[in-house]
Amino acid sequence: DTEVTQTPKHLVMGMTNKKSLKCEQHMGHRAMYWYKQKAKKPPELMFVYSYEKLSINESVPSRFSPECPNSSLLNLHLHALQPEDSALYLCASSQVAEYPNTEAFFGQGTRLTVV
Amino acid sequence: GENVEQHPSTLSVQEGDSAVIKCTYSDSASNYFPWYKQELGKRPQLIIDIRSNVGEKKDQRIAVTLNKTAKHFSLHITETQPEDSAVYFCAAPNPGGKLIFGQGTELSVKP
């Protein structure tokens, strides 16, 4: 199984809502990532979890809260988002996060619209 | 930290022609260079990667070349087909597990 599965595929939420994005992989990977991607731009790293511990937070606003319940699951909790947070949110995983990196597998993403 | 520059930002070719996309990187310690293809509305997918112990790698119509001295690597697509149309991203890692992406190249293959 070389899949990274993300749910939901699409999400529309109001600025006062609380929602969560979910990501799952069963490849035994110990590094998991959240990226944000705007149209025709490269993915921007938000968070890195290595062995279930948060290792990188790219100065992401606190309205985004990551969680790694176990080595296969990664969540991104959303609260009080702004319209400019509308984007494609991509989860990825790789064998390890230590340099040098190995192949990162991306999920199909959650298309988030904040209204 | 690592900085990755990618050119061109858009590329239009006729079906059957070759396409070349170039990237430069700044961190001389980088030694893994993946290329991702992203079709409209879909996830980035790895199409080929190269490690610094080789200068070239080929997979059917796709090849990647690496010049460590000059710190640049290139993607070559031969005999392009309309289904090659997509945005292509190069990337290079920095210490700590952060994959730095280039700005992307929008490739259009005209039938």
Side-chain angles (χ1 to χ4, degrees), chain B:
Chain B
E2 179 67 278
N3 184 45
V4 179
E5 299 282 337
Q6 182 173 347
H7 298 280
S9 56
T10 61
L11 180 58
S12 182
V13 300
Q14 286 295 131
E15 183 176 0
D17 287 352
S18 295
V20 180
I21 303 170
K22 298 181 179 182
C23 286
T24 60
Y25 61 97
S26 59
D27 187 348
S28 56
S30 292
N31 64 357
Y32 172 69
F33 306 94
W35 284 92
Y36 286 86
K37 174 184 180 182
Q38 188 173 26
E39 294 176 51
L40 191 62
K42 296 192 176 179
R43 76 185 84 187
Q45 288 200 290
L46 183 76
I47 55 171
I48 196 166
D49 56 14
I50 191 168
R51 295 189 182 274
S52 59
N53 56 346
V54 297
E56 183 174 1
K57 184 177 177 181
K58 194 171 182 181
D59 183 3
Q60 299 182 336
R61 297 186 295 109
I62 294 172
V64 56
T65 58
L66 172 64
N67 183 327
K68 281 219 76 178
T69 304
K71 290 191 281 189
H72 65 70
F73 56 111
S74 300
L75 178 71
H76 305 254
I77 306 174
T78 58
E79 300 170 31
T80 53
Q81 299 166 4
E83 51 265 38
D84 294 329
S85 297
V87 180
Y88 291 81
F89 294 101
C90 64
N94 71 358
K98 184 175 176 177
L99 202 59
I100 308 297
F101 286 88
Q103 287 301 302
T105 296
E106 187 174 7
L107 174 64
S108 175
V109 180
K110 299 187 185 309

Side-chain angles (χ1 to χ4, degrees), chain A residues 25-93:
Chain A
Q25 57 87 13
H26 295 288
M27 295 178 277
H29 289 174
R30 304 312 300 271
M32 296 186 77
Y33 312 80
W34 280 116
Y35 286 87
K36 172 184 177 180
Q37 188 180 30
K38 293 279 198 178
K40 295 189 178 180
K41 295 292 185 183
E44 297 174 39
L45 184 67
M46 300 174 71
F47 302 103
V48 179
Y49 273 84
S50 178
Y51 296 93
E52 296 109 72
K53 292 192 187 321
L54 183 65
S55 62
I56 295 177
N57 176 341
E58 289 290 299
S59 303
V60 179
S62 60
R63 56 186 185 268
F64 296 92
S65 175
E67 179 196 18
C68 188
N70 60 55
S71 60
S72 299
L73 295 174
L74 185 67
N75 299 323
L76 186 63
H77 303 297
L78 314 173
H79 174 54
L81 295 194
Q82 303 296 311
E84 58 264 29
D85 296 322
S86 298
L88 180 69
Y89 287 83
L90 292 161
C91 173
S93 71

